[in-house]
Every structure is written in C-alpha cells, then in structure tokens.
Amino acid sequence: MKSCNNCGLPETYETFEFDENQICNVCTQHKTKNTKVDWKKRREIFESLIDEYRGKGDYDCIVPFSGGKDSTYVLYKVVKEHNLKPLVISFDHGFYRDVHLKNVERTLKFLGVDYHLFKPNMKVVGKTMLESLKRKGDFCWHCHCGVFAYPMSMAVKFNIPLIIWGESVAEYTGYYDFEEGKWEMQDEEAFNRHINLGISAEDMVGFLGSDISERDLRPYQYPKLKDLEKIGYKSLQYGTFFKWDSLQNARLIKKEIGWQQDEVEGLPEEFSYEKLECRVNGVRDWIKYIKRGFGRTAQSVAREIRNGRLSLEDGKKLVLENDGKRPESLEYFLKILSITEDEFMDIVKKHQISPWNFDEKNIQKGRKLHDQNSWDDSVILKQK
C-alpha cells in the first residue's frame, strides 16, 4: 500500500491523489496555503463581508459550536477580535464527556454569549447509528448531519443570515483547495458532497421504514435553498480567511479561557487537545483503521509534519505506538446499540478500502479512559 512521501498517510485516505513524487494533493495544498495565499488580503475580505451583517438584527451571526478546540477558537475570535454578537448553537450528538462540558460552561461564561443547545431523541439516534454503520461503515450520520444542518435551519428560523464555521475542509481533504478568489461555502453542495455520507434525511426515513417518520428526522434535514436565499445567507469557513493552525489555536484558548485538554483514545498525550468531546471517538477511529489502515494519530502526525513541527520518521513511531488498537470504549458502544462484537466486525470489514487488508491477528487493546466508568450506558437501541 502506497503512502505519501511527505506526510505518511496511505493511499486509502479519502480524496487522496499522488503526484509524480508520490506527494499527496493535501500536502500540495498546504504548500499553497503557506507560500501563495495573501492572508492579509483575505482578512480584509472577511472584515468587509461581516460588516454587511453587523448590527442588522438581534444577532450578527450564528457560530455552530461543539466546544472542541476549533469551534471554541472561532467563537473566541468572533467575540473578542471581530466584536460580533453571535448566537451560539450546539447540536448535542449524545456522547459529550465531562471535561468537555466544563469547557463549554467556562467558555460561555467567559465570552458572555447567548447559547442554544439542541439534544436529539436518543432512540432515533440509535436507529440511525446502526443503519449508517451498516450502509456506510460510519455510525456518525446523525452527528455529521445534525451538527451541519441544524444551525442552518436555525439561521432560517431566527433570520440570522451569517454563519461562521471553523477550519477550511482543504486543511484535511481534497474536496476543496486554497485557490485565490474561491471562497469555500458551507452550503448544500458541501452537505451533499462530504457531510451526509450520501444519505439524506429522506433516504434515512425510507431505510428505516415504519420505525421512524420524516418528522423524527427534521433536525437532520438541510433547509430548503429558497428559504436560505430569502434571508440572504452567507455560510463561511473562518479558516478560508485566516491561516489555520490547530496547535496554536488550542494554546490560545487554553491561555485566554482556561480551556482544558483531556485523555483521548488512540492519541498520544501531545495530541490530547483534539477530539476530546466524544465518548465514542475511539470507536470511530478503530473503524477507520479497519476500513482504511490508519487512525487518528496518523492524521494528527500528518498535520504536524505539514506544519514543520514533526519529522516523518518520528511521526511513524507515534503512529506505530498508538494506531490500530482496539478501544476499550467499544464495550460501551456495543452495549448501547445491543450488538455483539462479531456483528460489529462483520459489518465494518465489508467496508474495507482496497488495497488495505485488515489483519485480525494479534490485535492489541487500548487503555481505558479515566472517565469511562462514569458514562451512562443505558441501551438506546433494543434489537427486535
């Protein structure tokens, strides 16, 4: 299996293409980001764009907010640097951890913002998790769609046309690039292209049949384009206009807000500032390893190599030490969805990406997270 000669990620990484030197297209994009983009000009464009919406309603913008490092950084910048009044909107995917919740509370108090939290029906969540796992090898359909579609629906409902998201998708994939003059929009094209796994809310209703209604899946449904155009919406990626650096962003919010990192499954301590909000992130990364042959550490290593803070040789050592271990949180995941590990493995292995071939021999077990014993493990999906 081929890997990028610069970042080390394999050819099974989504949207990868290699050049004649076996360098991936995402690494090439980062060269453009670091050498050709006029970030001063982009900042001026951003300031001009947001001035069109400042003071026009009860809120200047919506900031979709998970409470992780990226959305916390954007919210901090929107309030403290750009002097906007946001409505902060969270779609609670159902698996928040305690340190994360404390970070959210601390951030909201420090910045003094209005906060709208939506927590979906967990029985519906359970049904969609298993269905999307079976169909796409990814149980996070409800999270992908809810986090993206719900704030857009609230923009229509509350007539708040400006929505400000986090990093550019070009940071990690080849769906978009950093080309000058093309402002990447978080719109319906993006939703259908790389967010919803190719499954709309209407599709999911059809898949689940009598088990669920269209009303049940309304929070996951992207609003009609005519309704968005009626409010004159503009859905922007902050990282399109400001040079993005996850490590520096995390350092800033830790210093200014007191935001805290936490132990994360499948990641060494130096990367414990990312993906800390979700109980089942370790399971998702385990699935990624089974399907594609790499995990979360490999992705974090690639980012740090592109940022010039880590060598490929040292990165490979971190990947070898941390990726590909069976997460202890899998026990929790299997219990709440009422499936066995054999059923789980049979489903996931069907979604392997060639030329990767997962080897089930000599699987190592990961460490149990310090807070796992406190998680409520009530069953959310009872099998018929």
Side-chain angles (χ1 to χ4, degrees), residues 319-341:
V319 172
L320 187 62
E321 292 169 1
N322 293 277
D323 272 357
K325 294 183 179 180
R326 178 193 179 278
E328 188 65 27
S329 61
L330 183 61
E331 301 295 337
Y332 166 84
F333 179 87
L334 298 173
K335 182 175 181 181
I336 65 173
L337 290 185
S338 303
I339 60 174
T340 67
E341 188 162 357

Side-chain angles (χ1 to χ4, degrees), residues 55-70:
K56 299 294 176 63
D58 291 338
Y59 299 97
D60 297 324
C61 64
I62 284 175
V63 175
F65 181 73
S66 72
K69 68 183 189 313
D70 299 325

Side-chain angles (χ1 to χ4, degrees), residues 67-70 72 99-100 103-104 106-107 250-262 272-277:
K69 68 183 189 313
D70 299 325
T72 301
V99 169
H100 160 79
N103 279 335
V104 169
R106 186 181 302 109
T107 300
R251 286 174 176 171
L252 176 71
I253 59 176
K254 283 192 280 188
K255 177 183 176 182
E256 299 295 331
I257 301 177
W259 188 90
Q260 296 180 0
Q261 56 190 53
D262 196 6
S272 59
Y273 55 87
E274 53 187 312
K275 298 299 178 183
L276 56 87
E277 61 265 27

Side-chain angles (χ1 to χ4, degrees), residues 240-254:
T240 298
F241 302 94
F242 297 86
K243 193 173 182 180
W244 195 265
D245 187 326
S246 291
L247 176 60
Q248 297 301 331
N249 297 350
R251 286 174 176 171
L252 176 71
I253 59 176
K254 283 192 280 188

Side-chain angles (χ1 to χ4, degrees), residues 1-203:
M1 188 165 68
K2 293 191 300 184
S3 296
C4 175
N5 285 334
N6 183 61
C7 72
L9 284 171
E11 61 185 299
T12 52
Y13 191 88
E14 190 175 11
T15 73
F16 258 18
E17 295 176 359
F18 293 131
D19 65 13
E20 63 277 9
N21 298 314
Q22 203 167 306
I23 304 297
C24 74
N25 49 328
V26 178
C27 284
T28 301
Q29 287 174 183
H30 274 256
K31 285 187 178 180
T32 299
K33 168 189 169 181
N34 292 325
T35 61
K36 296 182 180 180
V37 175
D38 186 341
W39 292 106
K40 181 180 178 182
K41 178 183 176 182
R42 290 203 179 190
R43 180 190 181 96
E44 292 171 355
I45 293 170
F46 180 80
E47 293 288 358
S48 177
L49 288 170
I50 64 175
D51 278 344
E52 297 176 19
Y53 298 91
R54 193 188 305 274
K56 299 294 176 63
D58 291 338
Y59 299 97
D60 297 324
C61 64
I62 284 175
V63 175
F65 181 73
S66 72
K69 68 183 189 313
D70 299 325
S71 61
T72 301
Y73 171 77
V74 171
L75 181 59
Y76 175 85
K77 286 288 188 174
V78 161
V79 173
K80 291 296 186 179
E81 186 169 323
H82 303 293
N83 299 310
L84 295 173
K85 180 185 178 183
L87 175 61
V88 183
I89 295 183
S90 288
F91 180 93
D92 181 349
H93 49 57
F95 302 102
Y96 285 160
R97 296 172 63 196
D98 287 344
V99 169
H100 160 79
L101 292 172
K102 291 176 181 176
N103 279 335
V104 169
E105 183 177 8
R106 186 181 302 109
T107 300
L108 297 175
K109 287 179 179 177
F110 179 85
L111 295 176
V113 290
D114 291 345
Y115 183 51
H116 174 95
L117 172 69
F118 179 80
K119 188 172 180 65
N121 181 334
M122 289 303 291
K123 292 187 180 299
V124 172
V125 166
K127 292 173 182 177
T128 63
M129 285 176 69
L130 185 58
E131 190 67 22
S132 65
L133 178 65
K134 290 177 178 178
R135 291 182 178 272
K136 297 294 182 177
D138 186 341
F139 61 83
C140 295
W141 180 88
H142 80 285
C143 183
H144 300 317
C145 292
V147 166
F148 194 105
Y150 187 76
M152 299 301 292
S153 294
M154 294 303 101
V156 173
K157 184 178 181 64
F158 295 122
N159 192 24
I160 308 172
L162 178 61
I163 306 97
I164 303 177
W165 304 81
E167 75 273 29
S168 167
V169 176
E171 287 286 332
Y172 304 113
T173 72
Y175 286 114
Y176 300 94
D177 58 35
F178 290 104
E179 184 179 344
E180 289 287 354
K182 290 186 178 181
W183 312 130
E184 177 191 335
M185 289 277 285
Q186 282 287 64
D187 56 11
E188 188 171 17
E189 177 188 321
F191 184 70
N192 291 322
R193 191 177 189 185
H194 63 88
I195 298 293
N196 69 0
L197 306 179
I199 301 174
S200 68
E202 294 82 1
D203 292 333

